[in-house]
Every structure is written in structure tokens, then in C-alpha cells.
Amino acid sequence: MKIYGYIRVYSVDQNEDRQLLAMNELKIPPSQIFMDKQSGKDFDRPNYKKLVRKLKAGDLLYILSIDRLGRNYEEIQKQWRVLTKEIGIDICVIDMPLLDTRNGKDLMGTFIADLVLQILSFVAQSERENIKKRQAEGIAAAKAKGVKFGRPEKAVPDDFGKIVKAWEQKK
């Protein structure tokens, strides 16, 4: 049995330290911690895919919270089934002890874990939708105030045509 950790942050400029700290406290070797810096809207993430290819029946996967796994309700449910039923690993969601597949393997425990998973994955997707809505509202409000997005325009030099010709001739 091997122990793995999975970390996901939304973007390159987000900080993964909180998740790394949790994995270090569990003494997960750095070589067995996989991290992606991209959206949780789907599971098309390079390091998540690498992790899934490494997982074998009986392994244990730690994630800090269910929204670090993903933010799409149906995809979270599907991935959970793939990981726990098809591959046969255990998953422990650190901040939600009810989502630890090592416990309660009887019918009642499985039922409770499935209910909690459904509720939390619903909340994760709802939060993603709220983030997108708030972002769109913020952009619309900024545009209404005259804020310009994107790189500022730069004046074209007088000899631009000449420069382009020289570039085309690889000079």
C-alpha cells in the first residue's frame, strides 16, 4: 500500500502552502504528492492523470477538502467511483472525517459517505458558479466605470511598414 496526496490550486499565483503543510503533517513523501495549478471545473489535469495512473488497489489518497479534488458535481461523483470502486483505493478528505473510505465500509457507512460526498460536491460546484458570477459582475461594473482590460495600446512607429518588410526578409 502506498500513500499519496493530491493538491490543487486554481492558478499559478495561488498559494498551495496550506495543502502542502497538511500533507507534510501526514508524512507523505514529496515524490508521492501530486499538484495541479488549474481550475477544478474538470479532471483534465496533467498531474491528476499521472496520479491516477500510479494508483493501485489498496493505496490511500489524501486530499485536504473535496473542492481541491474538483468543482464539478457530476465529475467529482464519477471520479470518486473510479478511484474507490474501479481502482479500489481508499480516499481520506482531511477536513471532512465522514469522507474517509477506510471507515464505515458497511452499508450504513457507505450510505453516509455517499450522502456527504453528494452534498459537498454540490456545494463545490455551487461555489464555482458563484465565483464565476461574482467575477462577471465585477468585470461588468469595472467596464461601466470605464476600466480598460488587457494590455494598453502602444503607438505604431512611423517606419512600421519598413520594419515589417525587414522582419519578413529575416533582417
Side-chain angles (χ1 to χ4, degrees):
M1 175 188 97
K2 285 192 175 180
I3 298 174
Y4 294 93
Y6 181 69
I7 294 171
R8 184 191 65 78
V9 291
Y10 178 75
S11 65
V12 176
D13 59 339
Q14 276 195 319
N15 192 317
E16 68 277 357
D17 289 350
R18 185 176 63 95
Q19 294 175 70
L20 266 173
L21 185 64
M23 300 298 162
N24 291 335
E25 285 176 5
L26 293 165
K27 307 225 183 318
I28 301 171
S31 64
Q32 289 173 213
I33 297 173
F34 292 77
M35 177 171 39
D36 285 304
K37 292 189 173 197
Q38 66 187 86
S39 170
K41 67 179 177 166
D42 60 37
F43 284 84
D44 189 20
R45 300 178 228 137
N47 286 318
Y48 179 78
K49 288 178 175 181
K50 277 184 197 172
L51 168 65
V52 172
R53 285 192 298 270
K54 283 191 168 275
L55 294 170
K56 305 281 184 254
D59 287 347
L60 172 60
L61 174 63
Y62 281 100
I63 56 173
L64 183 60
S65 58
I66 199 69
D67 64 337
R68 299 301 86 207
L69 184 61
R71 286 197 179 270
N72 177 307
Y73 177 80
E74 289 178 13
E75 288 287 319
I76 292 171
Q77 302 287 320
K78 179 182 168 196
Q79 286 301 309
W80 191 273
R81 275 190 297 279
V82 165
L83 296 172
T84 61
K85 306 285 190 263
E86 293 176 24
I87 298 174
I89 69 161
D90 279 312
I91 302 174
C92 177
V93 179
I94 298 166
D95 71 357
M96 181 52 61
L98 285 173
L99 286 178
D100 184 341
T101 60
R102 297 171 298 177
N103 304 328
K105 294 212 179 239
D106 62 348
L107 185 59
M108 181 59 80
T110 302
F111 173 71
I112 290 169
D114 286 349
L115 274 176
V116 171
L117 176 65
Q118 286 189 28
I119 292 166
L120 291 179
S121 53
F122 170 80
V123 169
Q125 179 167 333
S126 294
E127 181 59 19
R128 177 173 179 264
E129 290 168 2
N130 287 337
I131 288 167
K132 285 173 63 177
K133 182 182 172 193
R134 288 190 299 264
Q135 182 182 34
E137 288 169 351
I139 290 169
K143 283 182 178 180
K145 289 180 181 176
V147 173
K148 300 282 188 213
F149 287 87
R151 188 170 63 185
E153 285 188 34
K154 195 168 186 175
V156 177
D158 293 335
D159 61 343
F160 185 70
K162 199 171 164 182
I163 294 170
V164 170
K165 277 189 182 174
W167 177 79
E168 288 174 340
Q169 295 170 355
K170 303 201 185 314
K171 292 184 179 174

